[in-house]
C-alpha cells in the first residue's frame, strides 16, 4: 500500500474521493494541486498538511499563500507549480485527477521523475498514449488505472496470459439519453445531460458520458494501458453499471469484475494493489440490484463513439484532434452556445480537416490540441 501520495486535481470529483480513501487508510499526502478552487484547497491543506500545494491559476497564489501562512506549506503556482508537485520527493504514487489534456505534462513529469502513477485522467493516454507508456516502460514506472472499466480489466487480466485474450469488453451505462431518438437528442439541454443515472462526476466527463465520447476515450485508453489492437476492444451497454468490464478468453471463459458504482473502490485499489484493504463503503447486494441487462451500443446515434474508433484507427495525432475538439465542443455545450448534436459534428469536421502526423512528439501533440480547439471555436463563430 502507498504510504504517501501527491494528488493532482484534489478539488475535483476524483480528487475529493481520493482524499476520502487516504483519510480512511491513513495515507499521507505530500502535495495537493487545484486549478482555482482555493476555498476547498485551503480546507484540504489544513486537514492533510502537505509540505507543498500548487494552484494552477497563478493570480490566486498570493491569496492562497496568505491563507496558509504559518503552516509551513510551500505554495507554488501555474503549470510549473503543478509539475513541481508531480515530482515532489518522498511519495509512492502520484494520483493524476486533473481533467483534460492539462493532465498530460504533469503525468509525464511524474514518470520522468520515476514516480508510479495512479491515472484517472484518461485524456493523457488518449492524446499521447504511445509517449506516456514508452516513458513509463523505460523508467520502470507503473501506470495503474483508476478509471473503473480499466481497473476492472486490470483485475480480470491478472494471473492470465495476454496471448490467451480474445477481447476486452468495456461496459458503458449508455448515459441519460440511452433510449432517445435522434430528434429528441437535438433538443437536450446541458442541465439534462449533467444528470448521469449511476455516477456523480465532474461536468466534462458527465457530458462525455451522455455523448458516449467517454466510452470512446476509454477504448483508446485501454489500447495504451493493455496493448490490445482496436478490434480486440469491444463496448457493451450495461445500464446498471454493476459489471465494470470483462475479459473474454480464447477458451470461451469470460471474467468480469463487479461492484457498486463507487469510484472510491477503484481509487483505493490503485493505491493498495496487490493488497486489498477493508473499508466501510456500501456493499454490492445482487439481490437488490436485480436484473443485469446488456445491449449493443448505437454508434450512429452516439456518433462520438464511432469517431473515437476512427481516430484510433488513423493513429498518430488524430486521437489528440478528437480529444481537443471534444474538449472545446463540450465547453461550448456547457456554456449553452451549441446544441448536443453539434458536439460530434464539430469533432468530425475538425478531424476531416486534419492531416495526420503519424509519429508525433510531445510538442506536436500540444500544438495539435491547440489547433483542434481553435478550429472548433472558429467553426462556431462563423
Ligand atoms: P473535475 O472537473 O471534478 O475535477 C478536475 C480537477 O482538475 C479539479 O481539481 C481542477 O481544479 C483540476 N483542473 C482543471 N483544469 C486544470 C488545469 N488546467 N490545470 C490544473 N488543474 C486543473 O473532474 P473529475 O470528474 O474528477 O475527473 C478528473 C479526471 O478523471 C478526468 O480525466 C476524468 O475523465 C477522469 N475520471 C473521472 C471519473 C469520475 O467519476 N469523476 C471516473 C473515471 C475517470
Ligand atoms: Mg470509466
Amino acid at each position: 500500500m502507498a504510504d504517501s501520495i501527491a494528488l493532482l486535481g484534489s478539488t475535483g470529483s476524483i480528487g475529493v474521493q481520493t482524499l476520502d480513501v487516504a483519510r480512511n487508510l491513513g495515507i499521507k499526502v505530500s502535495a495537493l494541486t487545484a486549478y482555482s478552487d482555493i476555498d476547498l484547497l485551503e480546507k484540504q491543506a489544513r486537514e492533510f498538511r502537505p509540505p507543498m500545494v500548487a494552484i494552477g491559476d497563478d493570480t490566486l497564489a498570493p491569496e492562497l499563500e496568505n491563507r496558509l501562512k504559518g503552516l509551513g506549506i510551500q505554495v507554488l503556482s501555474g503549470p510549473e507549480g503543478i509539475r513541481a508537485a508531480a515530482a515532489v520527493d518522498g511519495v509512492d504514487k502520484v494520483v493524476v485527477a486533473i481533467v483534460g489534456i492539462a493532465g498530460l505534462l504533469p503525468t509525464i513529469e511524474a514518470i520522468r521523475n520515476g514516480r508510479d502513477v495512479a491515472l484517472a485522467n484518461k485524456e493523457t493516454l488518449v492524446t499521447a498514449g504511445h509517449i506516456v507508456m514508452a516513458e513509463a516502460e523505460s523508467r520502470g514506472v507503473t501506470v495503474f488505472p483508476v478509471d473503473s472499466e480499466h481497473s476492472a480489466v486490470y483485475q480480470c487480466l491478472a494471473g492470465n496470459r495476454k496471448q490467451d485474450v480474445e477481447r476486452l469488453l468495456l461496459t458503458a451505462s449508455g448515459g441519460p439519453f440511452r433510449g432517445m431518438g435522434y430528434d429528441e437528442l437535438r433538443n437536450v439541454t446541458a442541465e439534462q445531460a449533467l444528470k448521469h443515472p449511476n455516477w456523480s462526476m465532474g461536468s466534462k466527463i458527465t457530458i462525455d458520458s451522455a455523448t458516449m465520447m467517454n466510452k470512446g476515450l476509454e477504448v483508446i485508453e485501454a489500447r495504451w494501458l493493455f496493448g490490445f489492437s482496436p478490434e480486440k476492444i469491444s463496448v457493451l451497454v450495461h445500464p446498471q453499471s454493476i459489471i465494470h468490464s470483462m475479459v473474454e478468453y480464447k477458451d470461451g471463459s469470460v471474467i468480469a469484475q463487479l461492484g457498486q458504482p463507487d469510484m472510491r473502490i477503484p481509487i483505493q485499489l490503485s493505491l493498495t494493489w496487490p493488497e486489498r484493504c477493508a473499508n466501510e463503503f456500501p456493499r454490492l447486494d445482487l439481490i437488490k440490484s436485480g436484473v443485469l441487462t446488456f445491449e449493443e451500443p448505437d454508434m450512429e446515434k452516439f456518433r462520438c463513439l464511432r469517431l473515437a474508433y476512427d481516430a484510433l484507427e488513423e493513429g498518430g495525432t488524430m486521437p489528440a484532434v478528437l480529444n481537443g475538439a471534444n474538449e472545446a465542443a463540450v465547453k461550448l455545450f456547457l456554456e449553452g452556445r451549441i446544441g448536443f448534436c453539434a458536439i460530434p459534428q464539430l469533432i468530425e469536421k475538425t478531424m476531416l480537416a486534419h492531416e495526420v502526423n503519424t509519429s508525433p512528439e510531445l510538442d506536436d501533440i500540444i500544438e495539435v490540441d491547440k489547433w483542434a480547439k481553435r478550429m472548433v471555436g472558429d467553426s462556431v463563430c462563423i
Side-chain angles (χ1 to χ4, degrees):
M1 182 171 94
D3 276 336
S4 173
I5 58 169
L7 173 56
L8 315 183
S10 65
T11 55
S13 160
I14 294 287
V16 166
Q17 294 179 85
T18 303
L19 289 178
D20 204 10
V21 169
R23 192 181 289 113
N24 288 341
L25 298 180
I27 294 173
K28 275 199 310 221
V29 178
S30 297
L32 289 171
T33 83
Y35 186 70
S36 58
D37 188 348
I38 53 170
D39 292 338
L40 184 53
L41 186 58
E42 177 194 355
K43 189 163 167 263
Q44 294 174 338
R46 286 184 179 279
E47 179 185 351
F48 288 90
R49 297 296 171 104
M52 181 191 286
V53 299
I55 185 86
D57 178 349
D58 42 25
T59 62
L60 298 170
E63 170 68 13
L64 184 63
E65 215 160 315
N66 195 30
R67 293 191 192 188
L68 298 178
K69 207 180 274 166
L71 297 180
I73 299 174
Q74 185 185 12
V75 177
L76 303 174
S77 65
E80 318 77 54
I82 290 174
R83 287 205 300 278
V88 69
D89 280 334
V91 302
D92 302 308
K93 238 167 215 161
V94 177
V95 181
V96 185
I98 293 172
V99 62
I101 198 172
L104 173 58
L105 295 180
T107 305
I108 296 265
E109 189 73 15
I111 293 172
R112 288 191 175 152
N113 282 277
R115 309 282 190 267
D116 284 344
V117 172
L119 189 63
N121 175 283
K122 61 194 79 184
E123 295 89 348
T124 286
L125 290 178
V126 169
T127 55
H130 63 296
I131 299 170
V132 172
M133 294 313 283
E135 283 273 353
E137 198 183 335
S138 77
R139 290 170 205 266
V141 159
T142 304
V143 178
F144 199 98
V146 170
D147 213 343
S148 57
E149 295 76 3
H150 304 76
S151 178
V153 168
Y154 195 95
Q155 296 171 65
C156 298
L157 288 171
N160 289 283
R161 304 186 318 161
K162 197 175 158 189
Q163 64 265 41
D164 295 336
V165 171
E166 187 91 23
R167 61 180 175 147
L168 310 183
L169 280 155
L170 301 184
T171 51
S173 70
F177 307 138
R178 186 171 52 92
M180 277 190 186
Y182 192 79
D183 281 342
E184 282 174 282
L185 273 187
R186 246 194 267 273
N187 300 319
V188 299
T189 61
E191 200 190 333
Q192 289 170 297
L194 284 169
K195 287 200 184 104
H196 194 278
N198 305 334
W199 299 94
S200 159
M201 309 178 285
S203 56
K204 193 259 179 185
I205 184 177
T206 306
I207 302 303
D208 286 348
S209 298
T211 62
M212 288 198 76
M213 177 57 93
N214 184 48
K215 214 47 53 180
L217 300 179
E218 289 183 356
V219 168
I220 305 176
E221 184 185 9
R223 187 260 170 270
W224 293 112
L225 275 172
F226 306 115
F228 292 103
S229 56
E231 322 78 72
K232 290 200 159 198
I233 309 173
S234 307
V235 171
L236 188 62
V237 173
H238 165 47
Q240 298 79 20
S241 299
I242 296 294
I243 296 182
H244 298 306
S245 277
M246 302 178 247
V247 177
E248 182 178 338
Y249 287 90
K250 63 185 184 193
D251 62 354
S253 202
V254 178
I255 303 184
Q257 188 264 339
L258 288 74
Q260 282 284 81
D262 182 337
M263 280 309 294
R264 292 174 303 177
I265 300 172
I267 291 170
Q268 174 172 306
L269 193 70
S270 77
L271 302 180
T272 66
W273 180 266
E275 196 180 334
R276 290 186 186 263
C277 296
N279 59 38
E280 301 288 314
F281 306 153
R283 296 285 122 154
L284 176 62
D285 180 338
L286 282 170
I287 306 288
K288 280 202 189 120
S289 49
V291 182
L292 304 184
T293 59
F294 305 94
E295 298 161 21
E296 202 157 346
D298 182 343
M299 296 213 210
E300 287 319 306
K301 203 166 72 185
F302 294 102
R303 218 162 147 68
C304 286
L305 181 55
R306 158 71 54 220
L307 292 172
Y309 271 106
D310 291 349
L312 181 55
E313 200 64 51
E314 290 227 35
T317 40
M318 198 54 102
V321 169
L322 171 97
N323 182 73
N326 181 57
E327 284 190 26
V330 168
K331 186 163 177 281
L332 290 170
F333 175 68
L334 283 168
E335 290 165 358
R337 293 179 56 203
I338 61 168
F340 188 73
C341 294
I343 299 175
Q345 285 163 4
L346 287 165
I347 298 168
E348 187 161 17
K349 185 173 171 198
T350 310
M351 284 170 67
L352 284 171
H354 179 62
E355 213 168 294
V356 176
N357 169 350
T358 52
S359 44
E361 309 271 337
L362 208 46
D363 289 349
D364 304 319
I365 302 281
I366 306 283
E367 266 320 298
V368 154
D369 171 69
K370 288 191 188 136
W371 172 84
K373 286 175 172 155
R374 240 183 359 255
M375 277 289 291
V376 168
D378 290 351
S379 303
V380 170
C381 287
I382 291 164

